[in-house]
Each structure stands twice: as structure tokens, then as C-alpha cells.
Amino acid sequence: MASRTVQTELVASQQSCPECGGTLDSSGRETHCTDCALVVEEDQVDRGPEWRSYNREGQKRTGAPRTVTRHDRGLSADIGSAEGSDISSRRRRRLTRQRRLHGRSKFDSKRDRNLAHGLGEVRRIGSALSESQSVKEQASTFFREAKKADLLIGRSIEGGAAAAVYAACRCNGLVRMETVADVARCSTSHIWTCYRTLLTELELPIPVSLPVDWVARICSDLPLDVTPESRQRALALAEEATRSTDINGRPDGVAGGALYVAGQESDLRLTQATISETADLNITTTRRWYQQIEENIVE
């Protein structure tokens, strides 16, 4: 590119043919002599802007940006369908065959084919959960790293893709396993197995879940309105339980117990069964942490 630029500047500075001394014409895609027709330079570099234009007449030669959500970074092209065009049936069959062969030629190996299938599953799950593009890209990166490290050998691609999406959601403090499992094409236990493998081998930056985070989450899903005073009291109890050395358990159970204590103090008709059903907990878990909070925190 540098040599071509130097050559262009040299030709532009000469302004005459190196063979006969005639006049150079650079109006087209090549620079040639108007007297002897010597082609001095060809395939000139277009130094115009590379911005996108949504006006069909002013479109530039730029395509979609590169993305990690596709196995080829989005650089390959597709042969479009012939629907709606006025072509013969013979040419339509030919285009269909070319499209099929072109789709097969995208993959150099079975590994690339599995990668494309897994990234497609990541995009499907992310779209079903209405996640942002950044979460999809992070999940795609996790899935690529898992495939590169051979962590998914003996496991289904669907499970690895769902685990990658769940890991990306956990990194951003979003959704729960049950939400991902509802749209995944594998069992919850299989997603957990793949997720633990990714968490251990890839050393993912998963933030620690605290009871305070679960209080707001449970309150938003409860079938009845929780007063601001009860919410603040539950948050205070959850913070004290986090600092306490006597209470150390699953954060959603501690949050459920703190919310039940706050409801009891404010005469809120909030039962242990309602909290347990909303937080997807066993009622004995909520009862155990409620008793622990009353014994160690509530005076």
C-alpha cells in the first residue's frame, strides 16, 4: 500500500508520459498516456470516505461490521433467494443448488460447523431473552474460548451455548438459570454441568451474588405490592446478614428470610409460601434463614 501510494504521487508529480513525454489522463480507473496509450498506473486506490449511506444512490463500499457472534466474523457473503424475481424455473433451480453448495463451502471442518451451530444457538437464546448485543457478543466469546480449549467434548452444543449465555448474564447481573432453561434446548442439569466447567476452566469474572441484590429482585416479582418501608427494612436486614459471621448461606434464601421478617414487622400479609414460590425456593429454606435472622440480628 505504501509503495502504491509513492508510485501514485510520483506519477502525479511527473504529469507527463515516461516513454514519449505525452500528456497523462487520470480521469478513469487508470492513468494512461493520450499519445502512445501507455498505461502508467492501474487499479487506483479510492481515497474517498468509508461511511455508510442509507441512500441507495450514495452507498459506499462498506458492509456490516465484524462481529464475534458469527463463526467467520461476519465476513462471508450469502446468495440471496430468487423469490419475487421474474426468472425461469431452470435458473431458479440453479440458484438453489448454488446456494446450497455455497452454504456447505463455508465450513472447512466439522469444528467450524459446530462453532457456527453453537453461535447461532447463542444468538437465538439471547434474542429470546431480549438481551443486548454486548451480552450476545460476550456469550459468543465465552463459547469460542470453550470450543478452542476443547471443554465441550462429550457435551451437547446446545448446553454449551446456554451455559455461555447464562455466564454472560451472570457477569452483567442479569436473569437466573430458570429463565435461560425455559428457552434452551437442553435440561437444566446439563446447563449447570457446562456452566461449572466454563466457570472453572475459563476463570470467568462472575460477580458474587449478595442477598441485597436478591431482595429487590424478589420484591419486583411478588404478586402484591411491598411498601417502601418494608423494602428498606429488608435491605437493611440483608446487609446485616451479609456482615454477620453467624449467617452464611445462599443469598436468595437469606433475602427471602429478610423479606419475611420485614413483612412481619410491618403487618404485611406476606407468607413464607408466597416468598418461596416467587424466589423459586423450598419453603423450609425460607423458614430456616428467617429463624436465623431473628435469632442473630433482630433484637
Side-chain angles (χ1 to χ4, degrees):
M1 181 65 70
S3 61
R4 185 178 293 273
T5 303
V6 173
Q7 183 180 1
T8 303
E9 294 177 354
L10 180 60
V11 172
S13 63
Q14 290 179 354
Q15 296 297 328
S16 61
C17 178
E19 290 289 334
C20 66
T23 305
L24 297 180
D25 184 8
S26 303
S27 59
R29 294 183 59 86
E30 62 184 17
T31 302
H32 65 279
C33 178
T34 56
D35 297 335
C36 66
L38 174 67
V39 178
V40 180
E41 185 185 16
E42 59 180 354
D43 297 332
Q44 295 181 3
V45 178
D46 185 2
R47 304 184 184 280
E50 291 288 353
W51 58 70
R52 292 185 61 188
S53 175
Y54 294 97
N55 183 6
R56 184 175 295 275
E57 298 179 355
Q59 286 182 347
K60 300 298 179 180
R61 62 173 190 275
T62 52
R66 298 181 62 183
T67 174
V68 296
T69 58
R70 298 188 178 274
H71 75 287
D72 54 1
R73 306 283 180 172
L75 297 178
S76 63
D78 295 327
I79 299 178
S81 62
E83 297 180 0
S85 57
D86 188 14
I87 60 176
S88 62
S89 58
R90 180 180 179 182
R91 184 168 179 80
R92 190 185 302 274
R93 290 193 300 269
R94 181 181 178 183
L95 286 175
T96 303
R97 184 172 66 255
Q98 289 177 343
R99 190 183 308 112
R100 182 173 61 252
L101 295 176
H102 178 69
R104 294 175 180 175
S105 64
K106 288 183 179 181
F107 312 113
D108 296 333
S109 61
K110 186 177 180 180
R111 188 183 187 91
D112 290 342
R113 188 180 297 108
N114 292 339
L115 178 62
H117 176 58
L119 293 179
E121 188 69 10
V122 169
R123 295 194 304 271
R124 186 192 67 82
I125 297 176
S127 299
L129 298 176
S130 300
E131 298 297 342
S132 62
Q133 183 66 21
S134 60
V135 174
K136 296 179 185 178
E137 291 179 354
Q138 189 175 18
S140 300
T141 302
F142 291 160
F143 186 82
R144 280 179 178 273
E145 293 178 357
K147 289 291 293 183
K148 185 177 181 180
D150 295 331
L151 301 180
L152 301 180
I153 295 179
R155 298 182 174 91
S156 67
I157 298 177
E158 291 78 6
V165 173
Y166 177 66
C169 292
R170 283 291 306 274
C171 290
N172 294 273
L174 305 172
V175 307
R176 292 179 290 183
M177 173 59 73
E178 293 76 13
T179 309
V180 178
D182 290 340
V183 297
R185 295 173 176 171
C186 57
S187 62
T188 305
S189 60
H190 187 62
I191 300 177
W192 273 119
T193 303
C194 296
Y195 170 72
R196 293 190 187 98
T197 302
L198 299 182
L199 185 63
T200 304
E201 300 296 334
L202 299 182
E203 299 180 356
L204 302 180
I206 305 296
V208 178
S209 181
L210 299 177
V212 177
D213 304 327
W214 281 93
V215 169
R217 203 174 297 180
I218 296 174
C219 288
S220 61
D221 295 338
L222 283 173
L224 69 162
D225 295 333
V226 180
T227 60
E229 293 77 12
S230 300
R231 183 190 294 259
Q232 292 298 326
R233 176 55 176 167
L235 289 173
L237 291 174
E239 290 180 356
E240 293 183 19
T242 303
R243 293 191 298 265
S244 177
T245 57
D246 298 327
I247 301 177
N248 185 13
R250 49 185 302 175
D252 51 354
V254 176
L259 192 57
Y260 180 73
V261 173
Q264 291 293 105
E265 293 178 352
S266 60
D267 296 331
L268 185 65
R269 295 183 179 180
L270 190 60
T271 63
Q272 298 178 18
T274 304
I275 297 176
S276 301
E277 183 179 357
T278 304
D280 197 16
L281 296 170
N282 193 307
I283 191 172
T284 57
T285 302
T286 305
R287 183 179 299 115
R288 181 173 70 251
W289 294 116
Y290 145 68
Q291 294 172 351
Q292 289 284 337
I293 292 174
E294 273 201 334
E295 293 175 2
N296 298 280
I297 296 178
V298 179
E299 297 178 355

